[in-house]
């Protein structure tokens, strides 16, 4: 069997009613023949939307096929024991030209009860936000389920939502159960569990070209929603040049941000997991043993778990997310 190496992937593009053009204009990803693109799934093991390798001798192979062959050498022993032959994370870029629906995702327990493999906890890193862009995360007051349903029936649900202004560099953690939506003018990277289950609660009374609104999932959503009120919905962190800064640590993924102006060596000897780099700005060279792989803004690379030492060489300057399962 040939030796593994840092793997790059061909994105899977998806259009929605709220998608725009920034995935092409800002990230350089060609989503033709689509006219617009809401989501680029840049690393996915989700059935039916798996990404395939775009470099090296494994080119053309789906990620889950590789896990079947390489198992813990690729993803790590703990990850393989837990997730089997399905890659456990879904990494996307999202471009919102209009408001997404107000929605919620189930946690693992509810997902399993409903016959799904797992729930959907996610996080957002904002790459770009137009002036006055907003998102919704949770409620702006304590509400009961009855009050929630009353607002939904009266079409006043937006009145009890917690609106936040959005800026480049913002990090928002969205645990399963947190009601949320993304406003217009935002380009972001999303890291989430491998799941595509979304309970759409309110879609701003939009209609398509045929005058038909999208399906809503109110009853399914009720058991999923966390009605608690929280004091802060944004992750606070302080970026540091040439240092690794932790953003989110949860049972499903750990995400850190690194801004480099000089070479860096990472030691993953104690980490029993694959590592994914998501390039946000600039470009860099990633070296594992004698294997070298270039990475530019808008691309991801997966470092197989078998590699303990990774060397990163920025070309002038690079900013990227580092993602793994602890």
């Amino acid at each position: 069997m040939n030796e593994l190496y840092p793997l790059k992937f061909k994105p899977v593009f998806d259009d929605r009613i709220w998608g725009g053009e920034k995935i092409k204009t800002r990230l350089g990803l060609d989503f033709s023949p689509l006219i617009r693109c809401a989501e680029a799934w840049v690393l996915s093991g989700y059935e039916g939307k798996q990404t395939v390798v775009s470099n090296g001798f494994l080119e053309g192979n789906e990620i889950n096929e590789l896990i079947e062959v390489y198992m813990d050498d690729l993803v790590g022993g703990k990850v393989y024991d837990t997730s089997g032959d399905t890659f456990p994370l879904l990494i996307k870029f999202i471009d919102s030209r209009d408001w997404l629906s107000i929605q919620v995702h189930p946690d693992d327990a509810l997902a399993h009860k409903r016959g799904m493999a797992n729930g959907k906890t996610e996080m957002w890193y904002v790459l770009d936000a137009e002036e006055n862009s907003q998102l919704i995360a949770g409620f702006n007051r304590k509400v009961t389920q009855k009050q929630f349903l009353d607002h939904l029936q009266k079409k006043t649900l937006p009145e009890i939502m917690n609106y936040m202004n959005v800026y480049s560099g913002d990090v928002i953690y969205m645990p399963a159960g947190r009601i949320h939506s993304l406003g217009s003018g935002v380009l972001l990277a999303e890291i989430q569990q491998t799941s595509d289950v979304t309970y759409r609660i309110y879609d701003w009374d939009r209609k398509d070209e045929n005058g038909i609104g999208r399906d809503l999932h109110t009853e399914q959503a009720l058991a999923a929603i966390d009605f608690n009120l929280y004091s802060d919905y944004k992750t606070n962190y302080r970026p540091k040049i040439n240092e690794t800064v932790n953003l989110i640590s949860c049972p499903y993924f750990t995400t850190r941000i690194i801004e480099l102006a000089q070479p860096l060596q990472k030691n993953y000897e104690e980490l029993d997991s694959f590592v994914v780099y998501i390039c946000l700005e600039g470009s860099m060279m990633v070296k594992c043993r004698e294997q070298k792989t270039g990475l530019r803004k808008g691309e991801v690379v997966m470092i197989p778990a078998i590699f303990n030492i990774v060397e990163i060489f920025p070309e002038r300057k690079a900013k990227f997310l580092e993602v793994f399962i602890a």
Side-chain angles (χ1 to χ4, degrees):
M1 191 186 307
N2 288 319
E3 186 178 84
L4 283 166
Y5 55 93
L7 301 168
K8 295 174 71 173
F9 297 87
K10 182 180 179 181
V12 175
F13 299 108
D14 192 10
D15 188 25
R16 309 282 173 92
I17 194 171
W18 42 264
E21 298 182 348
K22 290 179 182 175
I23 285 171
K24 178 164 55 180
T25 60
R26 300 293 176 88
L27 297 178
L29 301 180
D30 183 7
F31 53 70
S32 57
L34 295 178
I35 297 173
R36 61 190 183 200
C37 181
E39 299 184 354
W41 293 28
V42 290
L43 181 50
S44 166
Y46 186 77
E47 192 64 38
K49 287 188 177 180
Q50 287 191 53
T51 48
V52 302
V53 177
S54 63
N55 66 324
F57 76 92
L58 292 171
E59 183 178 355
N61 284 275
E62 294 178 338
I63 180 64
N64 292 348
E65 292 176 339
L66 299 186
I67 298 174
E68 289 181 28
V69 175
Y70 292 97
M71 299 184 289
D72 54 346
D73 279 353
L74 181 60
V75 296
K78 288 185 299 182
V79 175
Y80 187 73
D81 289 345
T82 303
S83 303
D85 294 334
T86 300
F87 189 68
L89 297 182
L90 174 50
I91 296 173
K92 308 174 181 176
F93 291 115
I94 297 178
D95 173 21
S96 58
R97 184 179 51 88
D98 196 0
W99 276 95
L100 279 66
S101 62
I102 297 177
Q103 57 191 242
V104 72
H105 309 300
D107 62 15
D108 285 351
L110 182 59
H112 295 162
K113 186 177 178 181
R114 293 179 173 176
M116 293 174 281
N118 49 259
K120 185 176 174 183
T121 284
E122 61 193 22
M123 66 155 285
W124 294 342
Y125 177 90
V126 178
L127 288 124
D128 185 56
E130 295 174 13
E131 190 174 358
N132 300 320
S133 292
Q134 292 185 308
L135 60 79
I136 288 170
F139 297 95
N140 62 18
R141 68 194 77 170
K142 181 70 176 174
V143 296
T144 64
Q145 187 179 101
K146 182 183 182 304
Q147 290 170 329
F148 170 81
L149 289 171
D150 286 344
H151 279 282
L152 191 60
Q153 184 178 14
K154 294 174 184 175
K155 297 187 177 181
T156 56
L157 187 65
E159 293 180 8
I160 59 172
M161 295 291 97
N162 176 56
Y163 288 81
M164 297 164 50
N165 291 329
V166 186
Y167 304 96
S168 177
D170 280 354
V171 173
I172 301 94
Y173 179 53
M174 291 290 186
R178 181 164 295 169
I179 194 167
H180 62 277
S181 180
L182 182 63
S184 61
V186 183
L187 177 68
L188 59 79
E190 178 179 278
I191 296 103
Q192 60 158 91
Q193 290 176 269
T194 294
S195 169
D196 199 29
V197 58
T198 295
Y199 297 141
R200 196 178 298 122
I201 300 165
Y202 180 68
D203 198 35
W204 313 97
D205 303 314
R206 279 186 291 221
K207 309 291 182 184
D208 65 15
E209 57 271 15
N210 299 313
I212 299 172
R214 295 198 292 173
D215 291 338
L216 302 178
H217 316 103
T218 307
E219 289 196 17
Q220 297 99 313
L222 283 178
I225 296 172
D226 177 1
F227 287 98
N228 290 309
L229 182 66
Y230 297 91
S231 59
D232 195 0
Y233 293 93
K234 189 178 291 189
T235 297
N236 296 306
Y237 71 99
R238 183 175 295 176
K240 298 177 182 178
I241 193 75
N242 299 321
E243 290 188 32
T244 300
V245 177
N246 192 64
L247 299 179
I248 300 293
S249 296
C250 71
Y252 307 107
F253 50 81
T254 295
T255 302
R256 298 169 173 173
I257 190 164
I258 304 172
E259 189 167 349
L260 280 188
Q262 63 188 38
L264 175 69
Q265 184 181 93
K266 300 288 290 187
N267 188 333
Y268 297 118
E269 193 169 355
E270 301 299 319
L271 181 67
D272 188 17
S273 170
F274 63 89
V275 179
V276 176
Y277 298 149
I278 308 167
C279 191
L280 308 173
E281 293 180 14
S283 58
M284 59 199 198
M285 181 71 69
V286 177
K287 182 180 178 184
C288 300
R289 297 176 189 162
E290 297 307 312
Q291 307 274 5
K292 294 181 180 179
T293 305
L295 198 66
R296 61 164 181 79
K297 181 179 179 178
E299 292 184 329
V300 306
V301 65
M302 177 183 173
I303 310 299
I306 197 171
F307 293 111
N308 292 329
I309 302 295
V310 179
E311 295 177 276
I312 306 162
F313 302 91
E315 296 180 7
R316 292 188 298 279
K317 199 171 183 181
K319 183 189 292 186
F320 61 98
L321 299 179
E322 174 192 48
V323 184
F324 55 85
I325 298 178

